[in-house]
Structure formats: C-alpha cells, structure tokens
Amino acid sequence: QITVDFDVSETKIQIPSLLFISVVENAFKYGISYSKPSFISIFAKIKDEYLIFETKNSKAKNFRFT
C-alpha cells in the first residue's frame, strides 16, 4: 500500500530537483516485504515557510542497517 499526501500550495520556497529521491528510494528499498503486507507513506507540508517532508515504511523487524 502506498499513501502520498502533499499539502503544498504555491509558495515562494524553491526545492532543488531530486532533493528527496534518495529518501524515497530507501523507503521502497528497505520497506517492502515480498512475503508480508507492506506500506509506504510519503508526506510533505509547508508550515510557517518551512517544508516538512516525511517518509514511513513497514521496515522488517529483523532488518539491520550496516
């Protein structure tokens, strides 16, 4: 399951191209299980002239990042 929520209206904030590509790529790479139901959530919001960006996934419990 993939959920995307971009609550970003027109603003003067400029975001460089592909800034979040590695974060989103890692959410998929380390958050998907082929044997169990999985989820990925991507969230972006502008608040008080700041960009809040968040990804969540269903990382496997036995996964170790080295």
Side-chain angles (χ1 to χ4, degrees):
Q1 179 180 8
I2 300 172
T3 305
V4 179
D5 182 12
F6 293 141
D7 185 16
V8 181
S9 59
E10 293 230 6
T11 181
K12 294 179 182 179
I13 296 174
Q14 294 184 1
I15 302 168
S17 299
L18 304 175
L19 178 65
F20 300 111
I21 192 70
S22 60
V23 176
V24 173
E25 179 183 15
N26 283 338
F28 281 88
K29 184 175 181 180
Y30 298 111
I32 297 295
S33 171
Y34 295 102
S35 60
K36 297 179 183 178
S38 302
F39 73 87
I40 292 180
S41 173
I42 304 169
F43 171 82
K45 178 179 181 176
I46 299 286
K47 183 175 181 182
D48 300 328
E49 297 296 319
Y50 290 95
L51 174 65
I52 300 167
F53 184 83
E54 176 180 86
T55 60
K56 293 181 182 181
N57 64 23
S58 53
K59 183 175 94 173
K61 290 182 182 180
N62 295 331
F63 176 77
R64 297 179 107 187
F65 184 75
T66 58

